[in-house]
Amino acid sequence: MSGAVSGAVSGAVSGAVIGTAVVTGAGSGLGRAAALALLGRGWNVVLAGRRPDALNGTAALSPAGAGHTLAVPTDITRPDEVAALFRAARDRYGRVDLLFNNAGAPAPRVPVAEVALDDWNRVLGTIVTGTFLCSREAFRVMCEQDPSHHPAVRRTPR
């Protein structure tokens, strides 16, 4: 972890909550590892992904206890589900301080000449559009918070 990132996620003080993170792709792999690392450092973590059983598996591994995790099954390619994800985070924890945009979709394991357009669109829909939708909703929520803790969120006159 870089110094800036590790400084942002470390420093839990005897049970004090550092903030609330939303982690996409939290049911397995890097998303699960990031969620558990954040939980171990004093964050509330909203777990997002398509598979409820995998999200519940991540929540069960939480070193912080059940009150610090919220599993929200989400298809990040659907704007309504992304809005519901961030609404659930705000309703449960009052704010969102960090987005770990990690969800992905595997590409078919075939030569490029054999990749179907539908498969290509599914991969890009998750990786590109899903990342955009989550980022956009996170910024909307963060801009409404007072104070805004995210350095990239600035209220400027129009």
Side-chain angles (χ1 to χ4, degrees), residues 50 76-77 102-108 119-128:
R50 292 183 197 176
I76 65 164
T77 68
N102 172 71
D119 290 333
W120 177 252
N121 286 334
R122 180 184 50 79
V123 170
L124 287 183
T126 301
I127 295 172
V128 178

PDB file of all heavy atoms in Angstrom, residues 50 76-77 102-108 119-128:
ATOM      1  N   ARG A  50     -22.484  -9.037  -6.869  1.00  0.00           N
ATOM      2  CA  ARG A  50     -23.675  -9.683  -7.439  1.00  0.00           C
ATOM      3  C   ARG A  50     -24.119 -10.914  -6.675  1.00  0.00           C
ATOM      4  O   ARG A  50     -25.262 -11.324  -6.784  1.00  0.00           O
ATOM      5  CB  ARG A  50     -23.404 -10.093  -8.887  1.00  0.00           C
ATOM      6  CG  ARG A  50     -23.245  -8.924  -9.793  1.00  0.00           C
ATOM      7  CD  ARG A  50     -23.064  -9.376 -11.219  1.00  0.00           C
ATOM      8  NE  ARG A  50     -22.509  -8.262 -11.987  1.00  0.00           N
ATOM      9  CZ  ARG A  50     -22.158  -8.339 -13.232  1.00  0.00           C
ATOM     10  NH1 ARG A  50     -22.280  -9.457 -13.886  1.00  0.00           N
ATOM     11  NH2 ARG A  50     -21.666  -7.291 -13.850  1.00  0.00           N
ATOM     12  N   ILE A  76     -23.502  -3.467 -10.514  1.00  0.00           N
ATOM     13  CA  ILE A  76     -23.023  -2.089 -10.698  1.00  0.00           C
ATOM     14  C   ILE A  76     -23.224  -1.556 -12.106  1.00  0.00           C
ATOM     15  O   ILE A  76     -22.956  -0.385 -12.359  1.00  0.00           O
ATOM     16  CB  ILE A  76     -21.551  -1.917 -10.271  1.00  0.00           C
ATOM     17  CG1 ILE A  76     -20.612  -2.717 -11.158  1.00  0.00           C
ATOM     18  CG2 ILE A  76     -21.376  -2.235  -8.790  1.00  0.00           C
ATOM     19  CD1 ILE A  76     -19.163  -2.301 -11.043  1.00  0.00           C
ATOM     20  N   THR A  77     -23.731  -2.372 -13.014  1.00  0.00           N
ATOM     21  CA  THR A  77     -24.044  -1.866 -14.353  1.00  0.00           C
ATOM     22  C   THR A  77     -25.436  -1.244 -14.401  1.00  0.00           C
ATOM     23  O   THR A  77     -25.822  -0.681 -15.420  1.00  0.00           O
ATOM     24  CB  THR A  77     -23.955  -2.977 -15.421  1.00  0.00           C
ATOM     25  OG1 THR A  77     -25.001  -3.934 -15.214  1.00  0.00           O
ATOM     26  CG2 THR A  77     -22.597  -3.652 -15.397  1.00  0.00           C
ATOM     27  N   ASN A 102     -13.695  -1.969  -7.325  1.00  0.00           N
ATOM     28  CA  ASN A 102     -12.929  -3.157  -7.626  1.00  0.00           C
ATOM     29  C   ASN A 102     -13.655  -4.168  -8.513  1.00  0.00           C
ATOM     30  O   ASN A 102     -13.022  -5.046  -9.078  1.00  0.00           O
ATOM     31  CB  ASN A 102     -12.552  -3.828  -6.295  1.00  0.00           C
ATOM     32  CG  ASN A 102     -11.913  -5.164  -6.479  1.00  0.00           C
ATOM     33  OD1 ASN A 102     -10.779  -5.251  -6.937  1.00  0.00           O
ATOM     34  ND2 ASN A 102     -12.631  -6.212  -6.162  1.00  0.00           N
ATOM     35  N   ALA A 103     -14.955  -4.057  -8.647  1.00  0.00           N
ATOM     36  CA  ALA A 103     -15.715  -5.080  -9.372  1.00  0.00           C
ATOM     37  C   ALA A 103     -15.214  -5.228 -10.804  1.00  0.00           C
ATOM     38  O   ALA A 103     -14.817  -4.262 -11.445  1.00  0.00           O
ATOM     39  CB  ALA A 103     -17.196  -4.728  -9.381  1.00  0.00           C
ATOM     40  N   GLY A 104     -15.256  -6.444 -11.278  1.00  0.00           N
ATOM     41  CA  GLY A 104     -14.845  -6.714 -12.640  1.00  0.00           C
ATOM     42  C   GLY A 104     -15.648  -7.866 -13.202  1.00  0.00           C
ATOM     43  O   GLY A 104     -16.458  -8.477 -12.513  1.00  0.00           O
ATOM     44  N   ALA A 105     -15.424  -8.134 -14.449  1.00  0.00           N
ATOM     45  CA  ALA A 105     -16.059  -9.267 -15.120  1.00  0.00           C
ATOM     46  C   ALA A 105     -14.996  -9.953 -15.959  1.00  0.00           C
ATOM     47  O   ALA A 105     -14.247  -9.277 -16.674  1.00  0.00           O
ATOM     48  CB  ALA A 105     -17.213  -8.787 -16.005  1.00  0.00           C
ATOM     49  N   PRO A 106     -14.918 -11.249 -15.873  1.00  0.00           N
ATOM     50  CA  PRO A 106     -13.876 -11.944 -16.642  1.00  0.00           C
ATOM     51  C   PRO A 106     -14.178 -11.952 -18.134  1.00  0.00           C
ATOM     52  O   PRO A 106     -15.332 -12.098 -18.550  1.00  0.00           O
ATOM     53  CB  PRO A 106     -13.907 -13.366 -16.074  1.00  0.00           C
ATOM     54  CG  PRO A 106     -15.298 -13.526 -15.550  1.00  0.00           C
ATOM     55  CD  PRO A 106     -15.735 -12.165 -15.084  1.00  0.00           C
ATOM     56  N   ALA A 107     -13.139 -11.779 -18.902  1.00  0.00           N
ATOM     57  CA  ALA A 107     -13.264 -11.893 -20.359  1.00  0.00           C
ATOM     58  C   ALA A 107     -13.277 -13.377 -20.719  1.00  0.00           C
ATOM     59  O   ALA A 107     -12.689 -14.200 -20.016  1.00  0.00           O
ATOM     60  CB  ALA A 107     -12.091 -11.196 -21.034  1.00  0.00           C
ATOM     61  N   PRO A 108     -13.950 -13.717 -21.792  1.00  0.00           N
ATOM     62  CA  PRO A 108     -13.938 -15.122 -22.220  1.00  0.00           C
ATOM     63  C   PRO A 108     -12.512 -15.569 -22.538  1.00  0.00           C
ATOM     64  O   PRO A 108     -11.727 -14.798 -23.070  1.00  0.00           O
ATOM     65  CB  PRO A 108     -14.799 -15.132 -23.479  1.00  0.00           C
ATOM     66  CG  PRO A 108     -15.418 -13.794 -23.587  1.00  0.00           C
ATOM     67  CD  PRO A 108     -14.689 -12.861 -22.685  1.00  0.00           C
ATOM     68  N   ASP A 119     -20.248 -10.629 -25.076  1.00  0.00           N
ATOM     69  CA  ASP A 119     -19.261 -10.852 -24.008  1.00  0.00           C
ATOM     70  C   ASP A 119     -18.408  -9.605 -23.792  1.00  0.00           C
ATOM     71  O   ASP A 119     -18.127  -9.205 -22.662  1.00  0.00           O
ATOM     72  CB  ASP A 119     -18.366 -12.043 -24.332  1.00  0.00           C
ATOM     73  CG  ASP A 119     -19.114 -13.362 -24.242  1.00  0.00           C
ATOM     74  OD1 ASP A 119     -20.100 -13.442 -23.478  1.00  0.00           O
ATOM     75  OD2 ASP A 119     -18.705 -14.314 -24.942  1.00  0.00           O
ATOM     76  N   TRP A 120     -17.971  -8.999 -24.881  1.00  0.00           N
ATOM     77  CA  TRP A 120     -17.169  -7.776 -24.808  1.00  0.00           C
ATOM     78  C   TRP A 120     -17.950  -6.673 -24.093  1.00  0.00           C
ATOM     79  O   TRP A 120     -17.431  -5.997 -23.204  1.00  0.00           O
ATOM     80  CB  TRP A 120     -16.773  -7.343 -26.213  1.00  0.00           C
ATOM     81  CG  TRP A 120     -16.004  -6.064 -26.264  1.00  0.00           C
ATOM     82  CD1 TRP A 120     -16.450  -4.863 -26.705  1.00  0.00           C
ATOM     83  CD2 TRP A 120     -14.648  -5.847 -25.850  1.00  0.00           C
ATOM     84  NE1 TRP A 120     -15.455  -3.911 -26.589  1.00  0.00           N
ATOM     85  CE2 TRP A 120     -14.343  -4.490 -26.065  1.00  0.00           C
ATOM     86  CE3 TRP A 120     -13.663  -6.678 -25.305  1.00  0.00           C
ATOM     87  CZ2 TRP A 120     -13.105  -3.946 -25.761  1.00  0.00           C
ATOM     88  CZ3 TRP A 120     -12.425  -6.131 -25.009  1.00  0.00           C
ATOM     89  CH2 TRP A 120     -12.162  -4.791 -25.242  1.00  0.00           C
ATOM     90  N   ASN A 121     -19.204  -6.485 -24.472  1.00  0.00           N
ATOM     91  CA  ASN A 121     -20.034  -5.451 -23.863  1.00  0.00           C
ATOM     92  C   ASN A 121     -20.278  -5.719 -22.376  1.00  0.00           C
ATOM     93  O   ASN A 121     -20.328  -4.789 -21.574  1.00  0.00           O
ATOM     94  CB  ASN A 121     -21.359  -5.312 -24.606  1.00  0.00           C
ATOM     95  CG  ASN A 121     -21.175  -4.625 -25.946  1.00  0.00           C
ATOM     96  OD1 ASN A 121     -20.246  -3.854 -26.144  1.00  0.00           O
ATOM     97  ND2 ASN A 121     -22.066  -4.918 -26.884  1.00  0.00           N
ATOM     98  N   ARG A 122     -20.412  -6.986 -21.985  1.00  0.00           N
ATOM     99  CA  ARG A 122     -20.588  -7.333 -20.568  1.00  0.00           C
ATOM    100  C   ARG A 122     -19.351  -6.943 -19.760  1.00  0.00           C
ATOM    101  O   ARG A 122     -19.463  -6.354 -18.683  1.00  0.00           O
ATOM    102  CB  ARG A 122     -20.871  -8.833 -20.437  1.00  0.00           C
ATOM    103  CG  ARG A 122     -21.072  -9.308 -18.996  1.00  0.00           C
ATOM    104  CD  ARG A 122     -21.243 -10.827 -18.931  1.00  0.00           C
ATOM    105  NE  ARG A 122     -20.214 -11.569 -19.647  1.00  0.00           N
ATOM    106  CZ  ARG A 122     -18.990 -11.797 -19.183  1.00  0.00           C
ATOM    107  NH1 ARG A 122     -18.629 -11.325 -18.005  1.00  0.00           N
ATOM    108  NH2 ARG A 122     -18.115 -12.478 -19.887  1.00  0.00           N
ATOM    109  N   VAL A 123     -18.186  -7.255 -20.279  1.00  0.00           N
ATOM    110  CA  VAL A 123     -16.933  -6.922 -19.590  1.00  0.00           C
ATOM    111  C   VAL A 123     -16.788  -5.406 -19.458  1.00  0.00           C
ATOM    112  O   VAL A 123     -16.538  -4.879 -18.365  1.00  0.00           O
ATOM    113  CB  VAL A 123     -15.717  -7.538 -20.320  1.00  0.00           C
ATOM    114  CG1 VAL A 123     -14.415  -7.001 -19.750  1.00  0.00           C
ATOM    115  CG2 VAL A 123     -15.769  -9.058 -20.233  1.00  0.00           C
ATOM    116  N   LEU A 124     -16.959  -4.689 -20.560  1.00  0.00           N
ATOM    117  CA  LEU A 124     -16.834  -3.226 -20.510  1.00  0.00           C
ATOM    118  C   LEU A 124     -17.927  -2.594 -19.661  1.00  0.00           C
ATOM    119  O   LEU A 124     -17.694  -1.602 -18.964  1.00  0.00           O
ATOM    120  CB  LEU A 124     -16.852  -2.627 -21.908  1.00  0.00           C
ATOM    121  CG  LEU A 124     -15.594  -2.853 -22.725  1.00  0.00           C
ATOM    122  CD1 LEU A 124     -15.703  -2.148 -24.068  1.00  0.00           C
ATOM    123  CD2 LEU A 124     -14.359  -2.398 -21.992  1.00  0.00           C
ATOM    124  N   GLY A 125     -19.119  -3.155 -19.707  1.00  0.00           N
ATOM    125  CA  GLY A 125     -20.213  -2.628 -18.896  1.00  0.00           C
ATOM    126  C   GLY A 125     -19.881  -2.663 -17.419  1.00  0.00           C
ATOM    127  O   GLY A 125     -20.185  -1.727 -16.680  1.00  0.00           O
ATOM    128  N   THR A 126     -19.251  -3.727 -16.996  1.00  0.00           N
ATOM    129  CA  THR A 126     -18.881  -3.841 -15.582  1.00  0.00           C
ATOM    130  C   THR A 126     -17.667  -2.975 -15.259  1.00  0.00           C
ATOM    131  O   THR A 126     -17.703  -2.163 -14.333  1.00  0.00           O
ATOM    132  CB  THR A 126     -18.589  -5.309 -15.218  1.00  0.00           C
ATOM    133  OG1 THR A 126     -19.748  -6.087 -15.490  1.00  0.00           O
ATOM    134  CG2 THR A 126     -18.208  -5.442 -13.754  1.00  0.00           C
ATOM    135  N   ILE A 127     -16.616  -3.139 -16.011  1.00  0.00           N
ATOM    136  CA  ILE A 127     -15.357  -2.480 -15.673  1.00  0.00           C
ATOM    137  C   ILE A 127     -15.406  -0.970 -15.914  1.00  0.00           C
ATOM    138  O   ILE A 127     -14.947  -0.189 -15.078  1.00  0.00           O
ATOM    139  CB  ILE A 127     -14.184  -3.117 -16.438  1.00  0.00           C
ATOM    140  CG1 ILE A 127     -14.010  -4.563 -15.984  1.00  0.00           C
ATOM    141  CG2 ILE A 127     -12.898  -2.331 -16.247  1.00  0.00           C
ATOM    142  CD1 ILE A 127     -13.024  -5.358 -16.800  1.00  0.00           C
ATOM    143  N   VAL A 128     -15.971  -0.557 -17.024  1.00  0.00           N
ATOM    144  CA  VAL A 128     -15.968   0.867 -17.364  1.00  0.00           C
ATOM    145  C   VAL A 128     -17.227   1.564 -16.866  1.00  0.00           C
ATOM    146  O   VAL A 128     -17.161   2.488 -16.053  1.00  0.00           O
ATOM    147  CB  VAL A 128     -15.774   1.080 -18.887  1.00  0.00           C
ATOM    148  CG1 VAL A 128     -15.821   2.546 -19.241  1.00  0.00           C
ATOM    149  CG2 VAL A 128     -14.458   0.462 -19.342  1.00  0.00           C
TER     150      VAL A 128
END
